[in-house]
Amino acid sequence: MKLSTAKYLQIALTCIIILAALLACVSVYDTVVLVSGLVAIVAGVIDLTIWGRFWRCPHCGEHLGRFGSFGSGEYCPHCGEKLDID
C-alpha cells in the first residue's frame, strides 16, 4: 500500500471514529450507543493496523512513527530518502 493511500485511509477512519463517538455521546438509545461504540472500536483497530503495518518508509522499511503524519514530513528520518506523501 502506498503511503498516500495509508494516509487518506487513516484520515477517513479517524473521522469515522470521531463521528461514532459523537453519536454515542448524544444518543439516548442503548442500541445506538452500543453499535456506534463498536464501530469506533473496529475503526480504531483497523486504523492502528494500517499505521503499524503500512506507515513505513518504502526505501528502507523502517516505521515512520508519528513523523510524516498527514504530510508534515518530506523525508524519511532514518534513511533521508524523499517520501511520496501527496
Side-chain angles (χ1 to χ4, degrees):
M1 178 182 303
K2 292 173 55 174
L3 281 177
S4 58
T5 305
K7 178 183 84 168
Y8 291 121
L9 278 175
Q10 286 185 297
I11 291 171
L13 288 167
T14 301
C15 290
I16 290 171
I17 292 167
I18 292 170
L19 290 174
L22 288 174
L23 181 63
C25 288
V26 298
S27 179
V28 293
Y29 300 107
D30 290 339
T31 306
V32 174
V33 172
L34 177 66
V35 170
S36 59
L38 289 175
V39 166
I41 290 170
V42 169
V45 168
I46 293 170
D47 190 16
L48 287 174
T49 302
I50 290 172
W51 180 77
R53 188 163 183 203
F54 298 108
W55 196 246
R56 297 184 176 276
C57 174
H59 306 287
C60 68
E62 290 291 323
H63 195 271
L64 296 173
R66 293 186 304 168
F67 179 83
S69 295
F70 305 112
S72 62
E74 292 184 25
Y75 298 93
C76 175
H78 305 287
C79 68
E81 292 287 329
K82 184 161 178 58
L83 299 173
D84 184 27
I85 306 174
D86 296 330

